[in-house]
Amino acid sequence: MNTAIEKEIESLRNKLESLEEEKQKEEHERAALDGVYEELKRRLEQSEVSLDAFIMYIYRDAKRVVNKVERHRLKQDAKAQAQTPTAEKPKATKKRAKKKRGKKKVAIKIPAGKYTNIPDDLERVFDVKEKGPRPKLVKAHAERLGLDQFMDECRID
């Protein structure tokens, strides 16, 4: 148990050291940037060039840097949003309506042969083969009449 606590303390110390190093680096960088900016303003003033003219001169490089900073900021925002837990509202449960089920249709098996007198096309002779799909008109008519009546009325021997 003590080893786990000691490991945790050690990891926190390491993290503290790295954060202090990062802080020192940022302070050093900030001081250097302030110095460079003051030097730039002084030199522009000596050469009688405005800051606007200088920015327009380096616009392409500055735009690239600004886009890079914007992408980095968006990534940080997305990362921060992903880390913050959002309070989820409990979803209301709905009662599901019972499905009304009709009577199951008995699949009618139409034997192979020739059939006629189908209401949609009375004169046509439908040839049903042993294998393969049955014509839709024939199948629908057989389901309406029933197989026995269908065979009596429509089958050609």
Side-chain angles (χ1 to χ4, degrees):
M1 178 123 180
N2 283 338
T3 57
I5 293 172
E6 290 172 2
K7 286 181 181 179
E8 182 71 22
I9 290 171
E10 188 64 30
S11 69
L12 290 174
R13 281 186 184 143
N14 291 338
K15 187 171 184 175
L16 180 63
E17 287 176 10
S18 66
L19 289 173
E20 286 176 348
E21 288 174 6
E22 189 176 330
K23 181 181 176 186
Q24 287 177 352
K25 181 180 174 184
E26 285 178 3
E27 288 174 354
H28 176 66
E29 191 175 276
R30 184 59 149 175
L33 288 172
D34 286 340
V36 169
Y37 181 62
E38 290 301 320
E39 178 70 20
L40 175 66
K41 284 191 334 188
R42 186 179 58 75
R43 284 200 176 175
L44 289 173
E45 198 173 284
Q46 284 177 352
S47 60
E48 298 177 358
V49 176
S50 70
L51 186 62
D52 294 342
F54 178 73
I55 297 288
M56 286 192 296
Y57 180 74
I58 64 163
Y59 177 73
R60 182 178 288 157
D61 293 335
K63 184 177 179 182
R64 182 179 47 84
V65 172
V66 168
N67 288 338
K68 189 175 181 180
V69 169
E70 286 295 317
R71 283 194 305 267
H72 185 266
R73 187 182 58 79
L74 289 174
K75 284 182 184 177
Q76 292 297 329
D77 290 346
K79 191 175 184 182
Q81 286 179 351
Q83 289 178 351
T84 57
T86 56
E88 294 183 20
K89 295 181 181 179
K91 294 182 179 179
T93 56
K94 294 181 181 179
K95 287 187 176 180
R96 293 185 179 180
K98 291 184 179 179
K99 292 182 180 178
K100 295 183 180 178
R101 296 184 184 199
K103 295 179 185 177
K104 280 189 174 181
K105 290 184 179 179
V106 178
I108 294 181
K109 303 210 179 205
I110 302 169
K114 293 186 179 188
Y115 300 93
T116 189
N117 296 333
I118 307 297
D120 293 336
D121 199 354
L122 293 173
E123 300 300 321
R124 184 171 170 199
V125 175
F126 291 90
D127 187 23
V128 177
K129 298 179 181 175
E130 281 293 327
K131 291 189 177 183
R134 300 321 192 216
K136 290 181 183 179
L137 293 175
V138 174
K139 188 173 183 179
H141 188 59
E143 286 175 352
R144 273 183 266 144
L145 294 178
L147 188 60
D148 293 332
Q149 189 177 358
F150 172 74
M151 295 296 284
D152 292 338
E153 292 180 9
C154 302
R155 183 151 186 168
I156 300 173
D157 288 328

